[in-house]
Each structure stands twice: as C-alpha cells, then as structure tokens.
Amino acid sequence: MLLLGIILLVIGFVTGISILWTIGIILAVIGAILWIMGSMGHAVAGRRHYW
C-alpha cells in the first residue's frame, strides 16, 4: 500500500492530476501506519507481519 501511494504521488505530480496526488498521500500515510504497527509487533488485520 505504501508503494502504491508513492507511485500515485509521482504520477499525480508529473501529470498534474490532483486526485491522484490526494489518493497517493492517503495511501502512503495508511501504508506507513500499517508498516510501523507491523514492525512493532502488533497484529494488523489478523496478520503478525504486514508488508
């Protein structure tokens, strides 16, 4: 999810499409939160590791 968010950020920035930029930011933030929670040992959505 983090990687998809970064890809959408880049595409939105290059093409100037603001909706891709917004969706990319949201996905990048959610992906970073899930990654941090998974690396701290918390079970995320029933999974021990999330990446």
Side-chain angles (χ1 to χ4, degrees):
M1 189 173 296
L2 182 61
L3 185 61
L4 179 62
I6 292 171
I7 290 171
L8 286 176
L9 277 172
V10 171
I11 292 173
F13 181 73
V14 170
T15 60
I17 301 173
S18 63
I19 191 71
L20 289 180
W21 180 258
T22 305
I23 293 171
I25 290 173
I26 293 169
L27 288 179
V29 169
I30 292 172
I33 290 170
L34 290 175
W35 179 45
I36 290 169
M37 286 176 57
S39 67
M40 290 175 40
H42 295 283
V44 178
R47 293 182 170 190
R48 194 69 165 146
H49 300 285
Y50 187 88
W51 67 96

